[in-house]
Amino acid sequence: MYDNDLSAVVSADRAHVWHHMFQHQLLESRDPRIIVEGKGMLVWDQNGREFLDAVSGGVWTVNVGYGRERIANAVRDQLIKMNYFAGSAGSIPAATFAEKLTEKTPGLSRVYYCNSGSEANEKAFKMVRQIAHQRYGGKKSKILYRDRDYHGTTIATLSACGQQQRATHYGPFVPDFVQVPHCLEYRKQWDVENYGLRAAEAIEEVILREGPDTVGALCLEPVTAGGGVITPPEGYWEKVQEICQKYDILLHIDEVVCGMGRTGEWFGYQNYGIKPDFITAAKGVASGYAAIAVLITTDEVFSMFKDAPEDQLNHFRDISTFGGCTAGPAAALENMAIIEEEGLLANTTAMGTRLMEGLAMLEDKHPLIGNIRGKGLFCGAELVADRDTKEPLAEKLVQAVVAECDKQGVIIGATMRSIPGFNNTLCFSPALISGPSEIDRILDAVDNGLTTVEATL
């Protein structure tokens, strides 16, 4: 398929590229994988090998699939006309996309541009701290985060990391970040009938322990991603919203993974009737065609940063250099248009149902599957060594299932370097353009992968 000799590229990669989340000792005995082309949901490596990508670029990003010429053309045209100016000024694509984006988020009306999900979350943390100093004498500065949730790679966002292995070795961390319990009913901490309500009440217990007058915000993923693809139990979000309103706590929803259609709604929180004060989004905003992240907030929050113009420290004194790039919003506009024109929200719901139904059949067939979870095209299957005890399947065996799928030309994911002893959930996040044939191919690969691994036990 490829005429060019890519051996020089492979050598350059091996010698100079530091890959993400990767143990490079492995490359002393094998070549790195170079992805050289993508079209739709297919990608090809340097050897011409074809793969069906069931993880949207590896980390839930390429929502509208590969090879979208209209997005690339829009970015090219915009860069020729005006590529960059610092965010202290505006641009045509930034203003246009902000207007269209906030049409999808009723109650949220102001967009802050930056270049990564980590950065977007850190902006929200800074806003919470500045509000604490300007309005509460610095006291209402604590930010609550949830066990198993993940919000980014910076030291501040790792201070709000509910995945211990991601944070190990990177402390000491920023003070006044406080963890609340997770809401994964399959690994429930309380033997109660209404688990969702109890898990939310556990957040209130932390607030009361810390002192409501010290807590400024609660930061949660609508569906937990790398911590195990955790969908919230019934009644959870309603109670969380009530608690935040009761104690005057800002609700920050991290939509970096769920945003822009992944769950079948524009944003994950919209499945649960939540009214957040902040949402942050990144990965699917432009489907990886340009680097862009956004923080979206309310007029009420925004007004706190302009109500005392005589005070030189009153406004949000922050900048994101690459938040001034015009490629991001230009790509995001076309990405949003594709989702609308091709009906990809409805398709995500339909294909997500097909994927979950298929996983349920695999659960009946394979004793290694302990629990399946998902919303839209954001699904997971937790693997166990024993269904009765729920003992997690050894990580090497989980990775063996992933490897078997890879041999069949299907790239799936699995939780890794997240929770000690619980990196045992297979992850599926195919593009929103998925059709029945792609979903069935993913399921067939997993079926065969589980069968192969089970035969070794």
Side-chain angles (χ1 to χ4, degrees), residues 45-126:
D45 70 9
Q46 75 268 29
N47 300 312
R49 221 185 136 206
E50 178 185 289
F51 298 89
L52 176 66
D53 178 8
V55 283
S56 295
V59 285
W60 309 296
T61 299
V62 189
N63 283 9
V64 299
Y66 298 97
R68 292 284 190 169
E69 291 186 20
R70 64 182 284 185
I71 302 181
N73 289 338
V75 170
R76 178 189 180 278
D77 293 346
Q78 177 58 50
L79 293 183
I80 291 171
K81 186 172 185 178
M82 181 65 189
N83 67 303
Y84 175 85
F85 201 89
S88 54
S91 73
I92 291 173
T96 305
F97 181 61
E99 181 179 46
K100 290 187 178 298
L101 182 60
T102 54
E103 289 173 359
K104 312 299 185 188
T105 59
L108 300 165
S109 57
R110 189 67 59 161
V111 177
Y112 189 98
Y113 286 105
C114 49
N115 72 298
S116 73
S118 299
E119 193 182 8
N121 285 327
E122 190 149 336
K123 302 307 182 190
F125 296 163
K126 288 180 69 176

Side-chain angles (χ1 to χ4, degrees), residues 246-284:
K246 179 179 179 180
Y247 297 109
D248 188 26
I249 292 171
L250 295 169
L251 181 56
H252 169 188
I253 305 298
D254 178 347
E255 293 272 357
V256 169
V257 172
C258 292
M260 299 308 288
R262 175 57 56 192
T263 66
E265 297 286 349
W266 284 108
F267 292 94
Y269 78 89
Q270 293 169 339
N271 292 285
Y272 307 111
I274 313 167
K275 296 180 179 179
D277 300 288
F278 303 102
I279 64 172
T280 46
K283 296 179 185 296

Side-chain angles (χ1 to χ4, degrees), residues 60 146-150 162-163 181-187 189 195 221-233 236-237 258 263 272 371-375 378-382 415 419 422 425-427:
W60 309 296
R146 186 171 57 194
D147 182 23
R148 286 182 172 253
D149 279 12
Y150 174 75
Q163 298 177 14
H182 67 73
C183 67
L184 175 55
E185 190 164 9
Y186 183 67
R187 299 285 177 185
Q189 309 98 311
Y195 182 80
E221 292 183 84
V223 176
T224 298
V229 191
I230 302 168
T231 49
Y236 180 78
W237 274 116
C258 292
T263 66
Y272 307 111
N371 186 240
I372 61 168
R373 308 182 280 267
K375 193 72 174 175
F378 186 20
C379 302
E382 182 167 348
T415 50
I419 316 297
F422 289 94
T425 300
L426 301 179
C427 300

Side-chain angles (χ1 to χ4, degrees), residues 431-451:
L432 313 189
I433 62 173
S434 296
S437 62
E438 288 84 9
I439 297 300
D440 293 348
R441 184 177 168 190
I442 294 166
L443 292 166
D444 287 344
V446 176
D447 186 9
N448 293 331
L450 289 168
T451 298

Side-chain angles (χ1 to χ4, degrees), residues 148-165:
R148 286 182 172 253
D149 279 12
Y150 174 75
H151 304 294
T153 62
T154 67
I155 294 298
T157 53
L158 285 176
S159 302
C161 183
Q163 298 177 14
Q164 300 94 312
Q165 289 183 318

